[in-house]
Amino acid sequence: MKPTRRDLVAGSGALLAASTLSVPALLGQSRPRVVVVGGGPGGATAAKYLARDSQGGISVTLVEENETYQTCFHSNLYIGGFKRYDEIVHRYDTLASTYGIAIVRSRATQVDRDKSEVVLSDGRRLPYDRLVLSPGIDLNYDSVPGWSQAAEEMMPHGWKPGRQTQLIREKLDAVPDGGTIVMIAPPNPYRCPPGPYERASMFAHVLKETGRAKARIIILDPKESFSKQGVFMPDWERRYGAMIEWLGPKVHDGITSVDPKTGTVVTGFETYANCAFVNVIPAQMAGAIARDAGLAPADGYCTIDPATMKSVVDPTIVVLGDACQAGDMPKSAFSANSQAKVAAMILRGELVGAPTFPARYINTCWSMVDTDDAIKVGGRYEPRDGRIAAVETFISQPGESAEIRRQTQAENLAWYDAICADMFT
Amino acid sequence: MLLVASPVEAAGDRALGAYLAAECSACHQISGRSRGGIPPIIGWPEDQFVAVLDAYRSRQRDNPVMQAVAARLSRDEIAALAAYFGALTSKP
Ligand SMILES: Cc1cc2nc3c(=O)[nH]c(=O)nc-3n(C[C@H](O)[C@H](O)[C@H](O)COP(=O)(O)OP(=O)(O)OC[C@H]3O[C@@H](n4cnc5c(N)ncnc54)[C@H](O)[C@@H]3O)c2cc1C
């Protein structure tokens, strides 16, 4: 079959799928190779845009250890009963069949920067001309005294997808009326700045809906203030009365320890014994593969060039999403997706001579407060003075009309559909 | 899947349109699908598309997300976006 121009332009699924097998034979080894580690909003988006827009001109390999991608974004909607679990699970099949991306289901254990190779857990090595790392976060299990990886079943974090998300919902369901939930919020910088507070809203929503309005949710925060605080706090009061109590560091005087066996949390000020459920959201850092490659400090994030998303340590490696330090951009799926598009444009310029343009980034974080009630914060960003800086920002206001809040929630749902389509189809 | 329905402008415009459009596709599906909340924007007449983006830019239309999106787009960029999205059609 002779491909028509239209097939080439449109990236016909069948053609590209076939070409995954035959292109090396057709073109020899001359196709530049990009290896992407991590199939989340950073990695999946980068892989798709590189493959789609180079129309087969770049060989793209996506290394992902999990068979499916389960989103942390909208996991709070699952916890709140607004989505089924299967609605936040996505597959990589279309990336392979439509765009000819080679999906390698494996864990990358090492980046051999001297040889420009990624080493997989089974010992295989993948050579690259450019490497894209978007491994997300690792949790710092030592950041809360008394808590550990062994305790993450008893005191779940729910800050990584899958079983942890489901555990949060199970523990919530078991809280008795009058019971106490303690959430330990994380220090900056962490994945999804408004996430803990959206989650607390969902806890209150579920408890209220199920006749447990006497339960209390106590948020112990190491931060003096938090994302969208000026909107969340009056909304909690209005929606949930006294159910949610937020305590900053001056009030609780620090977390002294937790005891997972007895469900106890001790602060400088008070002991919360017999908690019905303790949600520990610990400090975070870049995923191991990026730290081990020497691209970030031991417990930190990777510094990038704001114009290209390339590591300042190694210009053959791009670091996207939660694993990088992106200036004014929060760690969000939206940010990772936006950064991936800039990186794909830059890499296509370098590898196949495609036109390049100045970097520009965008983000919006929606948070649900209650049924048909969401708030948002966001902005546009550009490189300025060596960092990614906000050039336009907006935020929801307290006391907005029910109609605006309903519209904001409709946007939130539509955004989820769009970004998942953008990543996976 | 998408089809390019009309002949495209100069390669630069097309590449610029495609790059800028990537910013929109996090919210507006390029397939034209939508279940409310964020409207579809493909296959519009170009002048209408430009007029609507101008209305967000001048804050006559008041969605904060779209105002932030439109605020920093130049005339050429809006034209490139209008051509790019205008040329997209959804396949049944
Ligand atoms: C409760 C909660 C709510 C959230 N809500 C929102 C929201 O409403 N909007 C929003 O924009 N964001 C939200 N986020 C944030 C969002 O989930 C993250 O910012 C986003 O997932 C980051 O994308 P990423 O590509 O950097 O990493 P990830 O999504 O973590 O993807 C990394 C991928 O890499 C894989 N991986 C890691 N290391 C390796 C390795 N060595 N080898 C192979 N594979 C590897 C992982 O399996 C994973 O699939 C939320 C987060 C949480 C926890």
Side-chain angles (χ1 to χ4, degrees):
Chain A
M1 186 190 76
K2 200 166 168 249
T4 63
R5 194 180 118 71
R6 168 162 288 184
D7 285 332
L8 291 168
V9 169
S12 145
L15 178 75
L16 277 178
S19 72
T20 347
L21 304 170
S22 57
V23 154
L26 286 172
L27 300 180
Q29 289 307 312
S30 63
R31 279 204 309 169
R33 297 154 306 184
V34 177
V35 174
V36 180
V37 176
T45 306
K48 172 182 151 178
Y49 276 69
L50 282 164
R52 184 193 72 178
D53 295 342
S54 69
Q55 290 158 25
I58 297 175
S59 147
V60 181
T61 302
L62 176 62
V63 181
E64 166 57 53
E65 61 186 323
N66 293 315
E67 185 183 0
T68 57
Y69 185 74
Q70 307 178 33
T71 62
C72 279
F73 39 116
H74 285 200
S75 66
N76 285 333
L77 275 63
Y78 161 74
I79 290 164
F82 294 98
K83 286 203 165 178
R84 294 187 318 271
Y85 198 78
D86 65 274
E87 291 179 281
I88 58 171
V89 179
H90 303 272
R91 304 194 58 85
Y92 296 101
D93 307 347
T94 308
L95 291 183
S97 63
T98 301
Y99 303 107
I101 296 165
I103 312 282
V104 175
R105 169 114 189 266
S106 183
R107 181 166 176 85
T109 52
Q110 191 204 331
V111 179
D112 185 338
R113 283 169 45 204
D114 295 332
K115 294 203 179 104
S116 295
E117 289 176 346
V118 173
V119 185
L120 303 181
S121 52
D122 60 9
R124 267 184 299 165
R125 289 178 159 258
L126 301 176
Y128 62 81
D129 296 304
R130 293 291 184 279
L131 175 62
V132 176
L133 294 180
S134 193
I137 52 152
D138 276 355
L139 303 175
N140 185 339
Y141 285 102
D142 298 330
S143 62
V144 175
W147 193 70
S148 63
Q149 185 153 16
E152 75 177 359
E153 290 265 327
M154 279 180 280
M155 290 187 171
H157 48 81
W159 228 243
K160 292 231 184 187
R163 177 74 192 130
Q164 275 289 320
T165 302
Q166 289 166 337
L167 266 175
I168 299 279
R169 176 72 212 213
E170 288 165 19
K171 301 260 180 200
L172 176 64
D173 285 343
V175 171
D177 195 16
T180 299
I181 300 178
V182 171
M183 171 189 284
I184 299 179
N188 288 324
Y190 62 97
R191 146 180 294 181
C192 195
Y197 315 99
E198 177 183 56
R199 181 179 284 171
S201 310
M202 294 296 95
F203 286 173
H205 166 81
V206 169
L207 292 166
K208 197 175 148 187
E209 293 285 296
T210 50
R212 292 176 286 167
K214 288 202 285 292
R216 322 185 279 164
I217 301 150
I218 294 160
I219 306 172
L220 301 175
D221 211 319
K223 305 181 289 297
E224 298 283 355
S225 62
F226 64 87
S227 174
K228 292 185 266 195
Q229 183 168 9
V231 202
F232 270 118
M233 302 234 333
D235 274 25
W236 287 342
E237 177 88 51
R238 181 170 59 87
R239 291 281 188 180
Y240 305 117
M243 289 179 81
I244 305 178
E245 194 179 350
W246 178 82
L247 305 177
K250 291 208 182 85
V251 180
H252 61 68
D253 200 25
I255 312 287
T256 312
S257 65
V258 301
D259 182 354
K261 289 203 183 66
T262 58
T264 305
V265 179
V266 183
T267 71
F269 238 82
E270 189 157 353
T271 295
Y272 302 91
N274 298 316
C275 295
F277 160 32
V278 179
N279 179 192
V280 178
I281 309 172
Q284 296 157 36
M285 55 196 162
I289 188 83
R291 284 180 295 117
D292 293 349
L295 306 179
D299 58 355
Y301 297 96
C302 306
T303 305
I304 47 88
D305 169 2
T308 61
M309 297 306 302
K310 289 178 175 183
S311 163
V312 296
V313 176
D314 185 335
T316 65
I317 304 179
V318 157
V319 187
L320 302 174
D322 290 356
C324 78
Q325 203 181 297
D328 290 343
M329 294 186 88
K331 298 187 188 303
S332 71
F334 202 137
S335 294
N337 170 267
S338 174
Q339 293 158 8
K341 291 164 182 175
V342 169
M345 177 266 302
I346 294 287
L347 292 183
R348 286 197 301 114
E350 287 180 6
L351 297 173
V352 292
T356 57
F357 305 96
R360 52 208 295 164
Y361 305 94
I362 186 164
N363 175 65
T364 302
C365 291
W366 288 268
S367 302
M368 247 190 121
V369 179
D370 204 341
T371 308
D372 285 332
D373 186 348
I375 56 181
K376 63 185 168 186
V377 60
R380 293 204 59 255
Y381 309 82
E382 287 172 12
R384 290 265 167 95
D385 307 320
R387 58 195 295 278
I388 301 181
V391 292
E392 294 282 334
T393 58
F394 56 86
I395 183 165
S396 293
Q397 298 302 313
E400 282 168 337
S401 69
E403 179 48 30
I404 288 188
R405 293 302 183 78
R406 194 199 55 74
Q407 160 67 18
T408 307
Q409 173 56 12
E411 287 174 11
N412 184 16
L413 294 175
W415 163 76
Y416 184 88
D417 291 352
I419 193 171
C420 291
D422 200 25
M423 289 165 62
F424 295 115
T425 66
Chain B
M1 278 310 301
L2 297 169
L3 297 176
V4 179
S6 67
V8 285
E9 323 282 282
D13 291 356
R14 158 103 195 142
L16 176 64
Y19 171 58
L20 296 172
E23 190 170 285
C24 323
S25 59
C27 289
H28 297 279
Q29 298 190 47
I30 55 169
S31 63
R33 278 191 207 100
S34 166
R35 59 155 160 171
I38 301 177
I41 57 168
I42 64 170
W44 285 30
E46 292 180 27
D47 51 349
Q48 207 178 321
F49 194 96
V50 170
V52 169
L53 281 189
D54 280 347
Y56 287 116
R57 219 154 71 113
S58 60
R59 305 193 171 245
Q60 275 167 275
R61 279 199 176 202
D62 64 2
N63 188 287
V65 168
M66 279 308 298
Q67 287 177 348
V69 165
R72 304 190 74 82
L73 290 172
S74 70
R75 295 241 66 83
D76 287 354
E77 290 171 339
I78 291 180
L81 282 163
Y84 182 86
F85 281 111
L88 296 179
T89 54
S90 57
K91 205 167 120 176

